[in-house]
Amino acid sequence: MPSRQQNRWIVLLVVMLAFLPIVVDLTILHVAIPSLTLALQATGTEVLWIIDVYPLLMASLLIPMGTLADRLGHRRLLALGMSVFGVGSALAAVSPTALALIGSRALMAVGAAMAMPCTLAIVRQTFKDENERATALGIWGAVASAGAALGPLAGGALLEHFWWGSVFLVNVPILLAAVPLVVLLAPRYPVRAQGAWRPAQALLLIIGLLATVSAIKSGLKAGSNGWLSLAMFCLGAGMLTWFVRIQLRAAHAMLDISLFARPAIRMGVVMVLVVMGALAGVELLLAQELQFVTGRSPLQAGLFLLPLMVASAVGGPLTGRVLKRCGLRLTAAGSLALAAVSIAGLAYSDFHHASAGVVILMVGFGLALGIGLTAASVAIMSSTPEEKAGSAGALEATSYDLGTGLGIAGFGLVMASSYQAAIQLPEGLAPEVASLAARSIGETMLAAQHAAGAAGQAIAEAGRLAFSASHSMVLLAAAGLIGGLSLLLFAFFRPPR
């Protein structure tokens, strides 16, 4: 047990240093997608998997890894996970093909899944005072939301001077500094969890989550095999149901299902899913709009998103005061309502010029992210017994990554369907060129690059017009869903006193 003299705020700083690269990588690729698409000649499907394999695989691994951390020790698994993440980052930076990059991102997901729940667990165990814990979790939430918002800016700054692989290579020196600090400074708490870690149960959960999410992704895609998607969904749902039944009967469960009996934890999980899905989806659309349509550079696109990043960083530490004044229900519903209004406003905005109205909407969206994510974290971790901190941290982290993955998949697939319906290509194109250009904005620009000349310019202009028309409808639909959830939370959620 660490001594009372140990500075818990230094421990928090070290944990945040380890956590930052993991969360930044959830969104750092958003502004790199145009450069990466052209460099690797990646298809629209490959682009979605390059972005999505990281959060989705991480989401399926977090609960098993959180339970393993409760049994092996959070400090040990955090250091190991960061090392694996660093190796995956180095391999991703030098990937020669889109498939190789997908594989490297998968390895990064394994390392991130080992490390991420340990960060929350160490915060939960280090801070005993409720007020200090709320402040520490607010800082954690600020790093989570601001880090995700920082991703596009960091990616844009790197791409301004280096090749696309630099967005991964930048992780390596940070991790080389952070791993020794974790080993030296992170507290050594005695392992209290009981029972064995069962890999078969972990595999059941991994297959169930991946199959279910893949089925949703393929089912939403135009021209997909509906029966195959339905069969995959049934397989995934069956695996997850089997996993839950095992957990309900086990003496020492991998995931304590009883955590969901607490209203605050249920609300926190829903909040994280929705807020992270909205952040990832909106950022991905805006990054493509700013570069493909308005012609900004990656750095300019990142700077355009700067108000969102700053506001989300400010929102996290403010959450404690908002919770004291408004309570959990009003804070949760209000943050979602603010996000819905901001997204709806962005749907009608002109991104060719950064007007004051656009800046205000970005600030509102950022505040909604920071306050919403921190309120969710406080609700989950403060309602969790200390001996289950790793499992609860894994549950929250799973919600982060599953929300990110579903947000990217949902926004990306709906956008692709709308885009394919809206694009009007010039006549006289070769069939293979027309087929490529009609799939996604990235592939339209690839086709324009291959066609060159007047034909290439006409293809590119058709893509810009179609994307601008389509992205407004997607953002409005997202705003409607988030606004509806805000009303449901306000009407039916009753947090415990």
Side-chain angles (χ1 to χ4, degrees):
M1 181 70 66
S3 71
R4 292 179 180 269
Q5 302 303 319
Q6 186 172 18
N7 193 325
R8 53 200 176 281
W9 298 105
I10 292 179
V11 172
L12 178 65
L13 179 63
V14 171
V15 169
M16 292 304 96
L17 182 63
F19 176 51
L20 185 61
I22 293 173
V23 71
V24 167
D25 260 69
L26 289 170
T27 57
I28 197 170
L29 273 187
H30 290 179
V31 297
I33 286 302
S35 303
L36 187 151
T37 300
L38 298 176
L40 297 181
Q41 300 289 293
T43 67
T45 300
E46 287 174 336
V47 166
L48 279 181
W49 274 112
I50 288 170
I51 301 173
D52 241 3
V53 71
Y54 178 72
L56 290 181
L57 183 58
M58 194 191 333
S60 67
L61 288 168
L62 279 166
I63 289 173
M65 291 301 180
T67 309
L68 183 62
D70 285 339
R71 286 156 173 76
L72 294 182
H74 305 112
R75 170 181 156 275
R76 182 185 305 174
L77 199 64
L78 176 58
L80 180 59
M82 292 166 60
S83 301
V84 173
F85 183 83
V87 172
S89 298
L91 292 175
V94 296
S95 296
T97 65
L99 289 178
L101 181 55
I102 292 170
S104 299
R105 291 272 285 170
L107 183 60
M108 292 172 65
V110 174
M114 297 167 72
M116 197 169 182
C118 298
T119 63
L120 270 172
I122 290 173
V123 171
R124 170 67 179 82
Q125 293 170 332
T126 301
F127 291 87
K128 308 296 183 182
D129 180 78
E130 287 287 341
N131 291 329
E132 284 193 345
R133 184 187 303 151
T135 301
L137 288 173
I139 294 171
W140 189 95
V143 171
S145 55
L150 177 65
L153 179 60
L158 288 167
L159 290 171
E160 192 78 5
H161 303 287
F162 306 103
W163 92 115
W164 62 265
S166 62
V167 300
F168 300 110
L169 198 61
V170 70
N171 292 331
V172 176
I174 297 174
L175 293 168
L176 287 175
V179 171
L181 289 175
V182 166
V183 173
L184 292 173
L185 299 176
R188 295 171 173 83
Y189 285 98
V191 176
R192 298 179 180 179
Q194 299 176 355
W197 190 76
R198 294 175 173 82
Q201 292 184 26
L203 186 62
L204 200 64
L205 178 62
I206 293 167
I207 294 174
L209 277 174
L210 285 179
T212 303
V213 174
S214 297
I216 294 172
K217 287 182 63 175
S218 62
L220 290 173
K221 189 175 182 180
S224 62
N225 187 326
W227 288 108
L228 180 60
S229 298
L230 180 60
M232 190 181 299
F233 180 82
C234 291
L235 171 65
M239 292 282 192
L240 292 176
T241 302
W242 189 9
F243 175 80
V244 170
R245 293 185 65 182
I246 291 174
Q247 303 313 300
L248 290 172
R249 296 175 180 175
H252 304 291
M254 175 174 289
L255 173 62
D256 189 351
I257 303 297
S258 67
L259 290 173
F260 288 101
R262 303 168 187 248
I265 291 181
R266 291 200 304 270
M267 185 279 297
V269 168
V270 171
M271 284 282 296
V272 172
L273 283 170
V274 172
V275 173
M276 286 305 298
L279 170 63
V282 170
E283 273 197 350
L284 181 60
L285 288 187
L286 292 184
Q288 294 183 82
E289 171 91 12
L290 292 169
Q291 292 179 79
F292 282 135
V293 178
T294 70
R296 285 177 169 83
S297 70
L299 178 58
Q300 290 171 332
L303 289 172
F304 190 95
L305 298 173
L306 186 61
L308 188 157
M309 176 191 71
V310 173
S312 63
V314 170
L318 287 178
T319 307
R321 294 183 180 181
V322 177
L323 284 170
K324 285 183 180 180
R325 286 181 174 270
C326 303
L328 189 56
R329 181 180 68 144
L330 189 57
T331 301
S335 63
L336 287 181
L338 179 58
V341 170
S342 301
I343 293 173
L346 290 172
Y348 289 106
S349 298
D350 179 9
F351 297 112
H352 286 82
H353 305 285
S355 64
V358 172
V359 173
I360 291 172
L361 290 170
M362 299 283 276
V363 169
F365 188 40
L367 285 173
L369 293 174
I371 294 173
L373 288 175
T374 305
S377 182
V378 170
I380 293 171
M381 299 309 294
S382 294
S383 302
T384 302
E386 185 174 329
E387 65 274 10
K388 298 177 182 177
S391 296
L395 182 63
E396 181 177 346
T398 299
S399 304
Y400 269 79
D401 299 316
L402 196 57
T404 300
L406 289 175
I408 291 170
F411 275 75
L413 292 172
V414 174
M415 181 68 204
S417 177
S418 178
Y419 179 82
Q420 290 165 11
I423 191 167
Q424 296 182 351
L425 293 168
E427 297 180 357
L429 296 178
E432 61 274 12
V433 175
S435 176
L436 174 66
R439 294 175 190 167
S440 68
I441 183 67
E443 286 164 301
T444 300
M445 295 306 169
L446 279 175
Q449 188 182 62
H450 292 318
Q457 293 177 4
I459 293 171
E461 183 61 24
R464 295 187 188 101
L465 292 174
F467 194 90
S468 293
S470 301
H471 101 278
S472 296
M473 293 185 291
V474 175
L475 291 178
L476 283 175
L481 288 173
I482 295 170
L485 180 60
S486 170
L487 293 176
L488 287 174
L489 273 178
F490 183 76
F492 297 109
F493 176 64
R494 293 293 182 270
R497 296 189 178 185

